[in-house]
Amino acid sequence: MIDPENPVVQLCAQGMQAETEGRDVRARDLFLRAWEAAEDDYDACIAAHYLARHQPTPQETLRWNQECLTRADKVGDDRVRGFYASVHGNMARAHRDLGQIEQAREHFESAAEHIDDVPAGPHQQWLRYRIAAGLRATARPAPQQHEDPVGELLTTLCARTDLEALSLLLPPYMGSLGTPEDEERVTTALRMLHAERRLPDEEQAALGHAIKVRSAA
C-alpha cells in the first residue's frame, strides 16, 4: 500500500491535482521535485511514472517509463507488485508511439500477465480495457488481416444506439485479454443476445455469423 505520508507520494499527489486543473507546467515541476526527493528505488519508481507523462518527445517518454520499470525491478517486493500492469502498459504505448510494434506487443502481453495483481475496481477495469486495446492493435498478424465480426457488429449497434445490446457485449469484448476465459465471456454474451432474437434481421444474422466464426476458431 502506498504511504500517503511519504513526501514523494505527497508531491506526486499535488502534481496530479495540478494536472486535473490543466496546470501541466506546475505538474511537471512537482513530479520533478518528487524525483529529486526520492530516497530509494521505490520512491524513484513512483516519481518516474509521473514524470514520463510530461515529456516532450516519445523517446524521452520511453526513457522515463524504462526508468520506472528498472526501479520497480530493483524494489522487487510486494510494494510494486500491483504497479507492473500499468508500467508495462506505459512501456508498450511508448514503443508503439515510436513505431516499435513488436516491442509494444511484448509489453502489452506482460501487462496482461500482471492485471490480476491490480486491486479490483475502476482503475483495474480501465487498465484492462487499455491493455486489451493494445493487444488488438498490435496483434500478429496485422489486425487488418483478421476478420472481426464482433467489432463490426458493435459498430453497427453503436450507430443505432442500442444501449441494451451494447451493455451486454461491450464489457467482455473491450476487456478481453485473449485468454480462453475472456474469449468465452465474449462468446457467451453473443449467445445470450442471439437467444433473445431482438435485433433486426441483418444484425441477427451478423450475430449468428460472429458466433460461428468464434466457435470455429
Side-chain angles (χ1 to χ4, degrees):
M1 181 178 294
I2 293 178
D3 179 8
E5 301 302 318
N6 183 320
V8 169
V9 172
Q10 291 178 342
L11 285 166
C12 288
Q14 294 171 29
M16 291 171 64
Q17 179 63 35
E19 281 183 341
T20 65
E21 296 169 355
R23 297 184 294 137
D24 286 351
V25 173
R26 174 60 175 166
R28 187 181 188 282
D29 178 62
L30 286 163
F31 296 144
L32 184 58
R33 286 173 56 192
W35 171 258
E36 293 169 346
E39 295 185 351
D40 56 22
D41 289 319
Y42 179 74
D43 289 350
C45 173
I46 294 173
H49 166 75
Y50 289 104
L51 267 175
R53 298 178 359 186
H54 291 270
Q55 297 305 310
T57 67
Q59 290 84 356
E60 283 298 296
T61 299
L62 177 61
R63 182 176 78 83
W64 280 103
N65 280 318
Q66 181 62 64
E67 184 71 40
C68 179
L69 178 58
T70 298
R71 296 297 184 129
D73 286 342
K74 287 182 177 180
V75 174
D77 59 32
D78 285 346
R79 289 178 298 166
V80 297
R81 183 178 178 184
F83 292 179
Y84 278 103
S86 178
V87 174
H88 279 290
N90 290 339
M91 286 288 292
R93 286 186 286 275
H95 278 296
R96 189 175 61 186
D97 288 345
L98 289 167
Q100 298 166 351
I101 303 303
E102 190 62 29
Q103 294 95 319
R105 174 74 186 185
E106 291 174 0
H107 281 288
F108 279 128
E109 290 173 345
S110 294
E113 292 172 1
H114 290 282
I115 190 63
D116 288 336
D117 293 329
V118 181
H123 176 62
Q124 188 211 51
Q125 192 62 46
W126 179 245
L127 275 178
R128 173 178 281 273
Y129 287 159
R130 299 306 301 140
I131 295 165
L135 289 171
R136 289 193 296 271
T138 58
R140 305 186 191 99
Q144 62 267 24
Q145 296 177 4
H146 283 289
E147 182 182 14
D148 184 12
V150 182
E152 294 170 4
L153 177 61
L154 285 168
T155 299
T156 301
L157 294 172
C158 285
R160 198 165 54 76
T161 325
D162 188 333
L163 299 183
E164 289 186 4
L166 288 168
S167 69
L168 178 64
L169 293 180
L170 267 178
Y173 177 80
M174 295 298 293
S176 175
L177 301 178
T179 65
E181 295 81 7
D182 283 353
E183 290 300 289
E184 182 57 30
R185 291 188 187 99
V186 178
T187 303
T188 297
L190 291 168
R191 288 173 176 153
M192 289 171 62
L193 186 58
H194 188 270
E196 289 194 1
R197 300 191 179 279
R198 57 177 291 276
L199 300 183
D201 290 345
E202 185 175 343
E203 292 175 21
Q204 193 72 24
L207 187 55
H209 174 65
I211 295 170
K212 182 178 179 180
V213 169
R214 296 179 69 82
S215 298

